[in-house]
Amino acid sequence: MTSVVSARGLGLTFKTGDGDVQALSDVNLDINRGEFVSFIGPSGCGKTTFLRVIADLEQPTAGSITVNGTSPADARLNRSYGYVFQAPALLPWRTIDRNVGLPLEIMGYGDSAARVSKALDLVNLTGFEKKFPWQLSGGMQQRASIARALAFDADLLLMDEPFGALDEIVRDHLNSELLKLWARTEKTIAFVTHSIPEAVYLSTKIVVMSPRPGRVTDIIDSPLPRERPLDIRETPEFLAIAARVRDGLRAGHSYEE
Amino acid sequence: MKRQLTGLQRALAAFAGGFALLALIFEFASTEGAPLPVWEFPLAGTFLVLGVLAIGRIWFQLPLFIDGALSVLGAVALLLALDTLQMAGPGYWFALVSTWMFAWLFVEQLAASIRAGRTSPTLGMLIPVVFGLSLLLIWEIIVRAASVPMVLLPPPSMIWTRILTSLPTLTADFLQTFKAVLAGFALGCGSGFIVAILVDRSPFLKRGLLPIGNFVSALPIIGIAPIMVMWFGFDWPSKAAVVVAMTFFPMLVNTVAGLNASSSIERDLMRTYAASYWETLLKLRLPAAAPFIFNALKINSTLALIGAIVAEFFGTPIVGMGFRISTEVGKLNIDLVWAEIAVAAVAGSAFYGVIALIERAVTFWHPSVRGGRT
Ligand SMILES: Nc1ncnc2c1ncn2[C@@H]1O[C@H](COP(=O)(O)OP(=O)(O)OP(=O)(O)O)[C@@H](O)[C@H]1O
Ligand SMILES: [Mg+2]
């Protein structure tokens, strides 16, 4: 297995007006091809920052990181990842299909129309092509932003709490859709979440983080099969992993008190 | 369905009727010292009697167009009365106030009725029309009934006659001045926009060019206009140069602000696509800047007109709106001055209106235009 993301001793300190904030310290992590890795941890533990470092949107101040064997900057220039932000960030003057087609326009894909309708189909937004983002509900906007990240051929998908604002039912549905999509496309996915069941249900590897300084406290390799029906969440294996994640989160918390 | 009058509407109705009653009681007008009672003016008398009767709305409902009709009747009656009377008496002024209140009451009820969905919104176009006509009427009537000297303020009817008789002059002046307005506006806005992008591209230019732009905009127009005449000659190019100097800076500042209007998450998005500077500019930052740019265009449309007209005060060939105003004032041809002002006002509003319409079409997505949540 080849490593898509490989971080060694990675650290990042933000210099702010009232002192330094250590958002990441000594992170060692490998994400292998085809893995589904979840990042879970309390607010401010550096989950977003870590994804942004992978995406070359932040520069680390310590250690090293490679993406697809190259520097994050080269990986970005090679357009080797798709990023789903915490907010939908759809351009209000573009219809949904033109929003989803935006990366294709910039990257010069020829078969834009076919790709857009395929991506919209994956997130169940067929029929909303000609709507403007502000005519859609928050959940639909977030799905459109996922479709936008799926529209082009990036093997790595970075998702920052994409379902954070959605209700439980829609979330369940999108989770199983995401799993199917992952199985079909064999993408590598890095996924930030606050929900333990979501992390356990989706992931082959769960990274538990804790704040001040932001660091990795536990990395759990999931023994669950890749094929996962929704009711796998009631099995003892599932509950055992969930308990271990919860312990990890609790340990991180007591550390600071 | 019983239509309930609001407090304001009830007060307006009471006052309109009350003033009509006062107008019937007091002396209406006089000629050579002899009083002219209101029944010498049958139309005015009819209006006032109907106006008093309209107080009856306390007991029975009146359709709102009654008030519109009453105000029109009052206005026509008062205008016609002007031809025979020499001195307007208190009764005449009370009748004017009453007419005005009926017009106000009509607009007030019409607006309420549109809000409640009883009347189609297209009738809302009546509101500014009624408002503008009332202003013109009150102007006309006050100026004529109180015999205001023409040099101070001519009545609108006189200005209108002057516009009709001086059409060739007005057209020539308008064409001359608008050449400068349009050329200066296009050049000033265009260069402001281009410099804004240069400034955005290079922080070095930002430090150098922004203060210079600021400096140019701070120059008083009366100071630069004569200099521009020396540089670019008497004809319209020197006026266009003044307009360029006036419109450049608002466009520069607004575009620079607008280019920062896109959110950081949107710019990060473009970065993840490894989009080039120009792609980010074209597909994200310029569309996001459009509301700012249109703001500058709207400000500049009025600035350009003012600049071109004022610049013509400082040496022109013998045509142009500013030239005409400055020379006819000296000859006490005040009605022609007002005719030029009227043309400038209409042309300026039309210019502004066209830009505002284009803005609505281009920035349809902006919450201020679509009237929705962000
Ligand atoms: N641009 C920045 N400048 C200064 N400090 C920052 C910046 N971005 C993040 N931080 C700080 O870094 C720490 C980690 O932030 P980060 O956004 O990665 O947290 P997170 O785990 O994603 O939290 P959440 O679950 O709330 O999204 C926080 O303490 C935050 O205040
Ligand atoms: Mg975050």
Side-chain angles (χ1 to χ4, degrees), chain A residues 43-49 86 160-161 192 194:
Chain A
S43 192
C45 67
K47 306 180 293 293
T48 297
T49 305
Q86 227 164 332
D160 193 352
E161 292 187 51
V192 171
H194 272 134

Side-chain angles (χ1 to χ4, degrees), chain A residues 52 56-57 76-77 79 81 83 85 87 89 91-94 102-103 105-107 132 134 136 148 152, chain B residues 263 265-266 268-276 279 283-285 287-288 362 364-366 370 373-374:
Chain A
R52 289 175 61 85
D56 188 38
L57 299 174
R76 179 172 66 82
L77 293 176
R79 288 146 177 176
Y81 65 83
Y83 200 119
F85 289 88
L91 305 183
W93 52 86
R94 283 179 169 246
L102 176 69
E105 259 171 52
I106 292 172
M107 299 174 189
F132 286 95
W134 30 274
L136 265 53
R148 182 177 57 188
F152 58 101
Chain B
S263 66
I265 195 168
E266 288 166 338
D268 281 344
L269 181 75
M270 298 304 270
R271 219 174 120 77
T272 67
Y273 300 150
S276 69
E279 274 164 335
K283 294 189 194 298
L284 171 64
R285 298 176 65 213
V362 173
F364 65 93
W365 49 270
H366 196 259
R370 65 183 155 86
R373 55 205 167 119
T374 43

Side-chain angles (χ1 to χ4, degrees), chain B residues 204-224:
Chain B
F204 167 72
L205 285 180
K206 192 170 207 147
R207 259 174 289 143
L209 277 177
L210 272 185
I212 291 181
N214 203 336
F215 177 74
V216 169
S217 79
L219 291 175
I221 177 173
I222 347 187
I224 54 172

